[in-house]
Amino acid sequence: MSADARGPLASTRPSPAAPPQAAPPALKLPATDPFAERHMGASPQDQAAMFALLGIKSLEQLIDETVPTGIRLRRALELPPALTEHEALARLQSLAGRNKVARSYLGMGYSDCLVPPVIQRNILENPGWYTQYTPYQSEISQGRLEAMLNFQTLICDLTGMAIANASMLDEGTAAAEAMNLCLAVTANEKARVFFVSQRGHPQTIEVVKARAKPKGVKVVVGDHATYDFAKPTLGVLVQYPTSDGSVLDYAGFAAKAKAAGAQVVVAADLLALTLLTPPGLWGADVVVGSAQRFGVPMGFGGPHAAFFATSEACKRSMPGRLVGVSKDVHGAVGLRLALGTREQHIRRERATSNICTAQVLLAVMAGMYAVWHGPEGVRRIAGRVRELASRLRAALEALGLSTGKDPIFDTLRVEAGEQRARSVLRAAASKGMNLRRLSKTALGVALDETTTPADLEALVAAFAGEHPTGAALAALARASVPALPAGLARQGEILVHPVFRTYHTEHELLRYMRRLESKDLSLTTSMIPLGSCTMKLNATAQMFPVTWATIGRLHPFAPA
């Protein structure tokens, strides 16, 4: 033992040497959980047949003849003894249990949500859905294609755009792909500037910047209200609502951008679009965003399904896969992946689609969330979130705090002053709540589907500190929800397709999902020879942690 290990006051004189003792023999027990044998698939007989066909004696010989010696490690791997499935899960659960799942009000495009149990059990946790492969063979993929078409229909309806793809990776990369689309379709070959509103989500801005650099595009981040289009601009990106909560009317800015020859890209909140005027009606050429809050856990940042919607004119430059509807010579309807000429296996380096551009399982969940709740349900959820935000706004203003004058949906920017902002953050953290620090003086509070009246009272207490809360709690109780301005309030019905108006009881949705599952190929039916980029070969034990709250409810920007 070192002196440091014994403590600063311990003697440094060496102790008398103890007589050497033989190490006890390692306890060896027979394996009770042959994980590899259960999950690799190839039996010893199968391996022997393959070795005979290849003219080799063993797997070691195959590796010797295949992997160049120059890139091989020249020593054995230093690995601990293997764990069984149950031991590994217990270890993972112990590690995950060290995560502190605080109440998240951080926002930035990530919201806690309620996963409908019928969807969690029968899609997210169902190998009939999570082991499916890319539906190149449409005749054995009709169920999944219909579920993906539901997602596309949802996105087109809420964004007001003509066409949407079958999902993207996340909002940031979808925004970067929108910039690429602007570059592809611009009529001005000299246009190499892409404007991004400074009120967008910071991670989205950083992804766009990173993707612009190798393209030779200059990203200008600033105030959309003062951007003058002096330099040829290929496109603009605005956040709707803004990252700090304001619902702004961009119609005038969109018209100005179009007059300058620029494409208009909007990063939108999908739930907010159930109440707000869709971007397609005020000039958007592309609408992107995340479908995460439609019943997909935050999962410490992903995976989630993003969306990408655009105009009919831009469909051949749109990234990602697209489900289309066809009719045969007899008039029977069938689904397939459309616009295949954009795919990498056909056009290679000129392709706009790539095998890693989609999050179909999560898109299916988001689409089914809309099917389950229907138009009235999702509007009710959105209206409740907005009501909670409006009530909290009234309470915070009763405490003498400023929350601005712009209309809001679910997020507040609270000006508290530097010293008070620090004390509010400390108070919130002590109560198990994470708030967003927007600046030295301003805090952000983003509410969601899971927020309760008790949560609002806890937030009021954190912001009040030593101040009395009576007036604030009274304002919380009596506050009304102001109507959205005429230019921002959505008009007319949403989600008019029958699929969103039919399956609103559990047994109806269960049967619908089961019918779709039965029209598809997954590992529950057969081995799939194509590819390896899906979860089709994951052991069931490896899937369990996906639904643990100690992972699923973590916000990606939660404090370390």
Side-chain angles (χ1 to χ4, degrees):
M1 181 182 286
S2 69
D4 287 343
R6 291 194 302 266
L9 301 180
S11 169
T12 58
R13 229 178 330 181
S15 303
Q21 294 183 351
L27 182 61
K28 293 184 179 180
L29 295 174
T32 60
D33 189 16
F35 181 85
E37 294 173 24
R38 292 185 187 277
H39 296 290
M40 292 306 291
S43 68
Q45 295 78 12
D46 293 331
Q47 291 185 45
M50 289 188 276
F51 293 159
L53 184 66
L54 295 170
I56 59 175
K57 302 287 187 185
S58 67
L59 190 59
E60 287 72 20
Q61 183 184 351
L62 176 64
I63 293 171
D64 282 340
E65 296 182 9
T66 307
V67 182
T69 56
I71 66 170
R72 282 194 236 163
L73 194 64
R74 300 183 184 279
R75 57 174 174 77
L77 292 173
E78 297 175 2
L79 296 175
L83 301 177
T84 66
E85 279 189 353
H86 297 288
E87 289 169 340
L89 280 170
R91 178 77 192 282
L92 285 170
Q93 207 153 23
S94 175
L95 288 170
R98 291 160 58 185
N99 290 333
K100 184 177 179 181
V101 184
R103 195 71 182 82
S104 175
Y105 300 106
L106 295 166
M108 301 169 72
Y110 300 94
S111 303
D112 203 358
C113 61
L114 300 175
V115 184
V118 66
I119 294 175
Q120 176 171 324
R121 176 59 59 89
N122 297 289
I123 291 182
L124 180 59
E125 297 174 350
N126 179 0
W129 284 98
Y130 73 68
T131 66
Q132 297 163 342
Y133 188 64
T134 308
Y136 289 127
Q137 293 174 266
S138 56
E139 67 277 13
I140 57 170
S141 308
Q142 288 298 295
R144 187 166 13 134
L145 286 166
E146 181 173 330
M148 292 158 66
L149 185 64
N150 290 346
F151 175 79
Q152 291 178 183
T153 305
L154 162 70
I155 301 305
C156 287
D157 188 303
L158 294 187
T159 61
M161 302 305 292
I163 193 166
N165 70 16
S167 77
M168 302 287 287
L169 288 177
D170 56 31
E171 183 168 333
T173 53
E177 292 290 355
M179 176 195 65
N180 287 341
L181 181 145
C182 294
L183 190 59
V185 303
T186 183
N188 186 350
E189 294 183 0
K190 295 181 179 179
R192 283 296 181 272
V193 171
F194 188 73
F195 171 80
V196 179
S197 169
Q198 63 194 12
R199 299 184 72 178
H201 295 318
Q203 72 275 15
T204 298
I205 295 173
E206 291 306 311
V207 172
V208 170
K209 283 181 178 178
R211 292 281 291 273
K213 192 172 183 180
K215 297 280 186 179
V217 173
K218 181 182 178 182
V219 174
V220 175
V221 180
D223 183 354
H224 77 279
T226 59
Y227 186 67
D228 62 3
F229 294 93
K231 293 183 178 179
T233 303
L234 59 95
V236 299
L237 170 63
V238 293
Q239 195 87 41
Y240 183 63
T242 64
S243 190
D244 60 357
S246 294
V247 180
L248 303 180
D249 188 342
Y250 293 111
F253 177 69
K256 189 176 178 182
K258 287 181 173 297
Q263 303 291 310
V264 177
V265 181
V266 180
D269 182 301
L270 197 59
L271 189 63
L273 292 183
T274 64
L275 304 179
L276 301 179
T277 302
L281 295 187
W282 47 256
D285 297 291
V286 182
V287 185
V288 299
S290 173
Q292 178 266 313
R293 70 189 308 172
F294 271 50
V296 180
M298 288 188 289
F300 202 33
H304 306 134
F307 60 85
F308 191 111
T310 188
S311 62
E312 188 76 22
C314 295
K315 66 184 179 184
R316 290 199 173 272
S317 298
M318 181 176 66
R321 295 199 168 94
L322 180 73
V323 178
V325 182
S326 296
K327 286 187 178 180
D328 66 14
V329 292
H330 305 290
V333 172
L335 306 176
R336 88 287 184 207
L337 288 181
L339 296 178
T341 53
R342 304 172 311 122
E343 292 272 356
Q344 62 175 7
H345 61 285
I346 296 175
R347 300 184 75 204
R348 296 182 184 273
E349 69 278 353
R350 295 187 63 197
T352 60
S353 181
N354 172 283
I355 204 164
C356 296
T357 55
Q359 289 288 6
V360 168
L361 177 67
L362 294 316
V364 168
M365 286 181 66
M368 287 300 176
Y369 179 94
V371 171
W372 170 243
H373 286 293
E376 292 83 8
V378 291
R379 263 192 161 152
R380 185 166 55 247
I381 292 167
R384 180 181 177 277
V385 172
R386 183 166 180 264
E387 178 178 346
L388 290 171
S390 299
R391 288 182 180 275
L392 180 61
R393 181 181 221 174
L396 296 182
E397 289 179 349
L399 288 172
L401 298 162
S402 172
T403 61
K405 300 298 181 185
D406 292 329
I408 59 167
F409 171 59
D410 65 351
T411 301
L412 291 169
R413 180 187 183 98
V414 186
E415 289 290 346
E418 188 170 349
Q419 184 175 347
R420 191 168 180 181
R422 284 199 301 268
S423 66
V424 170
L425 285 173
R426 285 195 299 269
S430 72
K431 297 174 185 291
M433 300 183 292
N434 287 333
L435 306 182
R436 180 181 173 191
R437 183 147 206 175
L438 293 167
S439 70
K440 287 184 178 181
T441 62
L443 302 175
V445 187
L447 308 184
D448 57 51
E449 179 187 8
T450 69
T451 306
T452 65
D455 291 329
L456 296 192
E457 292 175 4
L459 283 166
V460 168
F463 274 95
E466 300 300 319
H467 302 273
T469 59
L473 293 176
L476 191 67
R478 67 169 182 265
S480 59
V481 183
L484 288 163
L488 295 174
R490 186 166 194 133
Q491 304 297 318
E493 293 186 284
I494 63 169
L495 303 181
V496 295
H497 191 280
V499 75
F500 300 113
R501 294 166 178 255
T502 304
Y503 307 105
H504 298 156
T505 61
E506 184 167 317
H507 62 275
E508 290 172 332
L509 183 63
L510 181 65
R511 291 167 187 162
Y512 176 60
M513 293 188 297
R514 184 65 186 87
R515 284 200 302 274
L516 297 190
E517 181 189 341
S518 69
K519 293 192 287 185
D520 219 286
L521 188 73
S522 71
L523 197 64
T524 63
T525 311
S526 167
M527 179 55 71
I528 308 166
L530 289 171
S532 61
C533 72
T534 68
M535 293 185 287
K536 70 183 184 187
L537 294 181
N538 282 12
T540 304
Q542 293 169 318
M543 300 301 297
F544 281 172
V546 171
T547 53
W548 291 348
T550 47
I551 296 171
R553 294 195 66 199
L554 281 180
H555 192 286
F557 296 110

